[in-house]
Amino acid sequence: MPLMKSWVDSANTSETDFPLNNLPYGAFLTQDGEQHCGVAIGDMILDVTALEADGVIAVPDEEEVFFFGDWSEFMALGPQIWAGFRAAITELLAEDYEDPQGLTQYLVPQVGTRMCLPFTVAEYTDFYASYHHASNVGTMFRGPENALPPNWLSIPIGYNGRASSVQVSGTDLRRPWGQLKAPDQDLPVFAPCKRFDIELEMGAIVGQQSEGPVTVAEADEMIFGYVLLNDWSARDIQAWEYMPLGPFQSKATATTISPWIVPKAALEPFRTTTPERKRPLLAYLEEPGPMLYDIALEVGLAPEGKDETVISRTNYNQMYYSSAQQLAHHTTSGCPMNVGDLLGSGTISGPEKHQRGALLEITWGGKEPITLDSGETRSFVEDGDTLTLRGAALGDGYRVGFGACSAKVLPALEDPYKR
């Protein structure tokens, strides 16, 4: 599919993340401090809440779907409404629209506009679904012979995280405190995390409820769209707490997502297959067709006041399990899925060192620090560092991107229990 042209000139370049082919959904604050729904087009935001209030657009049989300024109510209306709305917005923004001048009042510059969480996060589940990531981490801690857990090739492993910790790009976070125990210590200490890390992930947003087990095909239909996701991880807290039940406080500091939800429809031209299976999957996990996407990804690290260094480049097509498989597996016990559930893909890593999606892997547990363009070295994230995830599916002369998924790490607070 070629680049689709818009009357918004900035949407017609190969550099923008937001051509007419994309039309991702976000939420922003107006100059009056109200939260509105918006659609990104070039370097502008189309104010959907204002369009609805003025009667320019309307969802059939619904009133004020966008009044509260997030996309949760709209998601609940289902795929048929999603498709109709996307077609209507595409028509409004296409270069042959009859009255573009009348719509310019609904455009807001992205620069200088504060973005908000685009939907209400109901629940958050994080998976561990990249073969190369799991192999690298397992090799570090258990050796190459036992790198993968016995169940890994048969089941999408996941854990239930904290929806309350999800925050939108641009929101700073503080280095967490927790229990730490070095191998040469008899007892743990309570101290700030020393091995703070990122995890480059994609997040799938569930747009429809389920009331029992669903197939992979049905799960794919339930997914509203995708975001970039950074599942911040306190590796030293995790090392002490994770046996036997897995991550807890080490993953509860923050999870940063991109401000824009790229609808599944925009990613359709970029579908690709999961890799050849190393072990046959059970029938309920078999895919009816391509369920992954070809999305180029990168991670940038910028020390405070200094230029950014790209420390990783990989692709979403490296995942062993797709989001549809993860969602289908999530329902096998009868677990109900809700509108606004967020599924983290798990760290996305490729076979090469430069394709690793976490500093734990890139520096091999801190033993092989990397050198930044500034001359500084890093084993893990330091105070003042800004980490930015970027991603885009690359088409013929255009890109379908997510915008930056960025956050700065602030120093830990003073001992929160010191009175």
Side-chain angles (χ1 to χ4, degrees), residues 1 15 18 21 33 37 62 82 153 169 179 190 209 254-255 257 281 291 305 332 350 352 354 357 380 386 402 413:
M1 177 184 293
E15 289 78 30
F18 310 121
N21 305 64
C37 291
E62 301 290 336
W82 304 346
L153 293 173
S169 175
Q179 283 200 22
F190 187 67
Q209 293 180 319
T255 299
I257 65 171
L281 296 176
M291 290 289 155
T332 53
E352 304 297 329
H354 72 274
F380 291 96
T386 296
F402 296 79
L413 294 170

Side-chain angles (χ1 to χ4, degrees), residues 136 140 197-198 299 310-313 349 352-370 378-379:
N136 286 334
M140 267 185 265
D197 200 0
I198 57 145
V299 180
V310 174
I311 62 173
S312 176
R313 286 189 173 92
S349 294
E352 304 297 329
K353 183 174 181 178
H354 72 274
Q355 296 174 318
R356 298 172 184 172
L359 281 164
L360 177 70
E361 291 177 85
I362 296 170
T363 69
W364 208 249
K367 297 177 182 177
E368 302 173 7
I370 57 171
R378 287 291 185 277
S379 295

Side-chain angles (χ1 to χ4, degrees), residues 77 130 163 212 225 244 248 262 267 274 280 289 299 303 323 334 336 352 355 362 377 392:
L77 299 177
S130 163
F248 183 44
V262 174
L267 295 171
T274 45
V299 180
S323 294
E352 304 297 329
Q355 296 174 318
I362 296 170
T377 60

Side-chain angles (χ1 to χ4, degrees), residues 39-358:
V39 170
I41 181 71
D43 58 10
M44 308 297 286
I45 303 170
L46 182 69
D47 190 334
V48 172
T49 300
L51 284 171
E52 180 184 60
D54 291 347
V56 180
I57 60 169
V59 175
D61 303 320
E62 301 290 336
E63 294 183 7
E64 297 186 326
V65 174
F66 305 108
F67 177 79
F68 293 105
D70 88 1
W71 292 84
S72 299
E73 187 175 344
F74 175 77
M75 291 193 302
L77 299 177
Q80 186 174 350
I81 296 297
W82 304 346
F85 175 82
R86 179 173 170 81
I89 294 297
T90 300
E91 183 179 344
L92 288 179
L93 292 171
E95 67 174 346
D96 59 356
Y97 181 67
E98 59 188 18
D99 183 26
Q101 197 63 36
L103 291 179
T104 56
Q105 62 180 308
Y106 299 102
L107 291 178
V108 179
Q110 289 187 35
V111 174
T113 297
R114 180 180 168 186
M115 302 302 294
C116 311
L117 275 176
F119 68 105
T120 301
V121 183
E123 306 279 357
Y124 169 50
T125 304
D126 189 47
F127 286 87
Y128 185 55
S130 163
Y131 176 82
H132 299 290
H133 173 69
S135 297
N136 286 334
V137 173
T139 297
M140 267 185 265
F141 293 108
R142 293 185 297 274
E145 297 80 11
N146 299 302
L148 294 178
N151 60 356
W152 199 92
L153 293 173
S154 296
I155 186 173
I157 299 174
Y159 71 95
N160 289 309
R162 292 289 303 171
S164 62
S165 73
V166 179
Q167 60 188 35
V168 72
S169 175
T171 307
D172 297 338
L173 64 147
R174 287 201 175 272
R175 181 176 298 273
W177 285 73
Q179 283 200 22
L180 316 178
K181 182 186 175 299
D184 58 350
Q185 291 177 317
D186 292 329
L187 294 173
V189 297
F190 187 67
C193 165
K194 295 180 175 63
R195 293 161 67 92
F196 203 43
D197 200 0
I198 57 145
E199 291 191 348
L200 167 62
E201 303 191 21
M202 295 291 298
I205 299 165
V206 178
Q208 292 286 276
Q209 293 180 319
S210 68
E211 297 181 355
V214 302
T215 66
V216 173
E218 290 168 336
D220 187 56
E221 287 297 309
M222 291 168 60
I223 295 173
F224 177 67
Y226 291 82
V227 292
L228 299 177
L229 186 150
N230 184 350
D231 185 38
W232 299 91
S233 299
R235 300 297 185 187
D236 41 5
I237 297 174
Q238 184 176 358
W240 173 237
E241 76 174 4
Y242 86 106
M243 295 295 288
L245 297 182
F248 183 44
Q249 291 301 90
S250 57
K251 299 278 192 169
T253 300
T255 299
T256 304
I257 65 171
S258 56
W260 298 105
I261 304 169
V262 174
K264 189 176 60 176
L267 295 171
E268 286 300 317
F270 307 99
R271 279 192 183 262
T272 189
T273 58
T274 45
E276 183 179 350
R277 300 299 166 187
K278 298 178 181 294
R279 177 193 299 168
L281 296 176
L282 296 179
Y284 79 92
L285 283 173
E286 292 178 356
E287 297 167 294
M291 290 289 155
L292 275 183
Y293 299 97
D294 182 357
I295 301 173
L297 301 165
E298 69 176 35
V299 180
L301 189 159
E304 189 162 23
K306 298 180 180 176
D307 291 338
E308 177 186 272
T309 301
V310 174
I311 62 173
S312 176
R313 286 189 173 92
T314 188
N315 195 296
Y316 185 47
N317 63 16
Q318 294 293 325
M319 299 305 294
Y320 195 81
Y321 295 102
S322 67
S323 294
Q325 287 175 306
Q326 293 169 347
L327 178 53
H329 178 69
H330 211 322
T331 69
T332 53
S333 64
C335 170
M337 303 304 293
N338 296 313
V339 174
D341 283 351
L342 175 63
L343 306 183
S345 64
T347 304
I348 303 167
S349 294
E352 304 297 329
K353 183 174 181 178
H354 72 274
Q355 296 174 318
R356 298 172 184 172

Side-chain angles (χ1 to χ4, degrees), residues 387-398:
L387 277 296
T388 302
L389 315 185
R390 298 183 185 88
L394 305 178
D396 181 12
Y398 70 96

